[in-house]
Amino acid sequence: MSLYYEAAGFIEPLAPQASSLKSRVYNAKNLKSTPAQVFALVSEASKWSPILKEVVEKSQLLLHERKLSPALGLLLVHDLLLAKKGIAAPASHPLRAAVERHKARAQAEFTKARLRRGFSSVEALRQHVNQGRQDTHVPEQDCRKVISLDQRPHPRWIRLNSLKTSLVEQLATTFSGYRTVDSLEEIIEENCPESASKILHIDLHVPDLIALPPSADLSASSAYKNGVLIFQDKASCFPAYLLDPHAQHGDIVDACAAPGNKTTHLAALIQHSQSEYGKSKIYACERDKARATILQKMIRLAGAEDVVTVQEGQDFLRLDPENEPWCSVGAVLLDPSCSGSGIIGRDSTPPIVLPSREATAVETTDTMKRKRKRKPTQDRVTPRIDTPEQDPVSIPDDQETLRARLQSLSTFQTKLLLHAFRFPQTYKVTYSTCSLYAEENESVVLAALASPITKERGWRILHRDKQVDGMKRWEIRGDVTACNGDVEIAEACIRCNKGTKEGTQGFFVAAFVRDQDRIVGDGDEWEGLSDSDS
């Protein structure tokens, strides 16, 4: 039962909101339940809270069970009605017994709430809620009409692991019976459960990438469990594809590799040229040993052990470019730590609407009056009790903190990029973030291009017309203003925005190439990066 008490602590109206829910849960100390359990319960209850508020109030649960707080009542009713195994507590536990005494009434009120919203089944309502539309009364036949640019569902992107399969094979097996549609828009709009059965879209920019409707879930499929299918956002596929690695160009370093999606994508891309030009290696650096363990599992699952060597505990900045095997590395994929502001779902847990004990009492009194007077009265509007929307920190201080944090990240990211430029045989580098901030994107590109290291070693940005075909055709480019008005550099940069018709998370990537006559090292001995280099 500690799960519900601990989860309630994160949704009470006065709970601190200085950081994201996920951060608060996973950084909490002395939890008896696992953070994953607490986070999942709070997240799901948040999505359903406007509906569950009605159920709790109209069933008069809080009025009859005084030991239940509004938060506990909401969480327990959520699991009573929506969890596959019901309330996660012994049947004899007093709080479980208290809620289950009202099970029939709660189920009846839940059914009424569903019908008021125009949904014929719980599954249809569940799909509606999962699209973030939990308090909108929209009949399921009209659900396509509610999508706006800032509320677009995110498609389910799946990369077909060409180390183990092919598009043709998967269309004939895992996706046998699926209908292929030409428009991604049709996939995104497919948020009505009755019609979202089996359709897919083959991506037009990245090979071996498909999109399924947002409701699609293949996590239980054998293809996913065996590493044949890899769940990877489209934008996350851009760095490896833009790097366009070939075995004849030598080995590759993935500088910040965990959890391994980009690493295994690199492995899949170079496999086709391995036999003709020899065998290239991918060195996957991960300085965090726990994350390196996850990386190892991902590589084994994807069948990339023969291509990828994990450098467990290896800090990319501590690699000496002049020593073996690094002196012969031909390409570097750099996807460093960033603010993560482009990630879908980051800080997007909806505000929890808690039921009110007072509202229940008021409704009961009004009902009794209506029965006595036998004449219609106006429905009383139940006040919404939401968690605070603003952080306890004042906005000016928060903005100042954000600027300082972005400056620190930008400095570190530039340092990593310049270190990648020091490898004597390296001919190409991609730099990417899942950030929306120019400080981490275009500003890093400009700082790197202005560095003496870059000029001395012949590095330049890879212009749009020289990029691999799918990236050349991608329309969303860098911010011209953030590039100080340099249109050519802005066009060379690639951006993705979240919540748009392209169906990606927020992302940024740029590639750098080197003059051929500068690729052979000049014999300078590497002495590490100094502060002035960044």
Side-chain angles (χ1 to χ4, degrees), residues 231-267:
F231 297 163
Q232 185 172 359
D233 188 84
K234 175 176 178 174
S236 176
C237 297
F238 284 10
Y241 182 48
L242 181 61
L243 191 64
D244 191 25
H246 296 279
Q248 66 265 36
H249 294 140
D251 297 336
I252 303 169
V253 168
D254 187 346
C256 310
N261 281 344
K262 298 178 184 69
T263 312
T264 55
H265 193 194
L266 282 173

Side-chain angles (χ1 to χ4, degrees), residues 369-399:
K369 288 180 180 179
R370 284 196 294 271
K371 286 182 179 179
R372 286 198 300 267
K373 297 182 179 181
R374 293 184 179 276
K375 65 180 182 180
T377 60
Q378 252 189 340
D379 288 336
R380 183 179 295 271
V381 178
T382 302
R384 294 170 64 95
I385 304 177
D386 297 88
T387 52
E389 292 185 3
Q390 292 186 350
D391 294 345
V393 183
S394 62
I395 292 177
D397 289 342
D398 183 66
Q399 291 299 312

Side-chain angles (χ1 to χ4, degrees), residues 239-417:
Y241 182 48
L242 181 61
L243 191 64
D244 191 25
H246 296 279
Q248 66 265 36
H249 294 140
D251 297 336
I252 303 169
V253 168
D254 187 346
C256 310
N261 281 344
K262 298 178 184 69
T263 312
T264 55
H265 193 194
L266 282 173
L269 289 171
I270 66 171
Q271 68 161 337
H272 302 295
S273 59
Q274 293 283 40
S275 57
E276 183 179 353
Y277 294 98
K279 195 170 185 179
S280 294
K281 293 181 180 178
I282 298 171
Y283 295 100
C285 298
E286 180 50 58
R287 66 178 183 177
D288 185 284
K289 291 187 178 181
R291 286 171 58 81
T293 300
I294 298 172
L295 175 61
Q296 290 274 23
K297 291 179 180 178
M298 178 67 183
I299 289 168
R300 284 195 297 270
L301 183 64
E305 309 100 306
D306 293 342
V307 182
V308 180
T309 300
V310 174
Q311 303 293 307
E312 182 178 345
Q314 178 63 61
D315 185 339
F316 175 66
L317 285 175
R318 293 187 176 276
L319 295 181
D320 183 346
E322 301 296 335
N323 286 345
E324 290 286 352
W326 318 119
C327 60
S328 59
V329 164
V332 176
L333 187 151
L334 176 61
D335 187 69
S337 299
C338 68
S339 65
S341 53
I343 297 174
I344 297 292
R346 173 61 58 91
D347 297 336
S348 65
T349 302
I352 295 182
V353 186
L354 293 177
S356 168
R357 200 184 307 273
E358 292 74 16
T360 303
V362 168
E363 183 170 329
T364 303
T365 302
D366 285 353
T367 302
M368 292 174 65
K369 288 180 180 179
R370 284 196 294 271
K371 286 182 179 179
R372 286 198 300 267
K373 297 182 179 181
R374 293 184 179 276
K375 65 180 182 180
T377 60
Q378 252 189 340
D379 288 336
R380 183 179 295 271
V381 178
T382 302
R384 294 170 64 95
I385 304 177
D386 297 88
T387 52
E389 292 185 3
Q390 292 186 350
D391 294 345
V393 183
S394 62
I395 292 177
D397 289 342
D398 183 66
Q399 291 299 312
E400 184 176 342
T401 302
L402 175 62
R403 284 196 296 270
R405 174 62 174 155
L406 291 176
Q407 182 56 54
S408 176
L409 282 168
S410 180
T411 300
F412 176 66
Q413 291 155 348
T414 304
K415 191 172 186 177
L416 286 165
L417 182 53

Side-chain angles (χ1 to χ4, degrees), residues 426-492:
T426 297
Y427 75 99
K428 198 172 187 180
V429 173
T430 56
Y431 169 78
S432 58
T433 74
C434 51
S435 171
L436 300 174
Y437 295 114
E439 290 89 339
E440 300 179 88
N441 299 328
E442 289 89 351
S443 295
V444 171
V445 169
L446 292 181
L449 290 175
S451 170
I453 300 170
T454 307
K455 296 174 182 177
E456 289 169 7
R457 293 176 177 256
W459 286 98
R460 65 183 186 278
I461 199 163
L462 178 66
H463 293 149
R464 181 174 182 175
D465 63 346
K466 301 296 183 182
Q467 292 171 3
V468 66
D469 181 63
M471 297 294 87
K472 185 191 308 181
R473 289 186 286 103
W474 182 256
E475 292 297 325
I476 306 173
R477 313 308 290 192
D479 186 329
V480 176
T481 301
C483 291
N484 295 334
D486 193 319
V487 176
E488 193 172 38
I489 292 178
E491 279 290 299

Side-chain angles (χ1 to χ4, degrees), residues 118-119 128 137-147 191-192:
F119 292 94
H128 186 63
H137 294 219
V138 181
E140 53 199 286
Q141 62 268 24
D142 295 330
C143 59
R144 295 188 185 191
K145 300 177 183 178
V146 305
I147 299 175
N191 65 330
C192 301

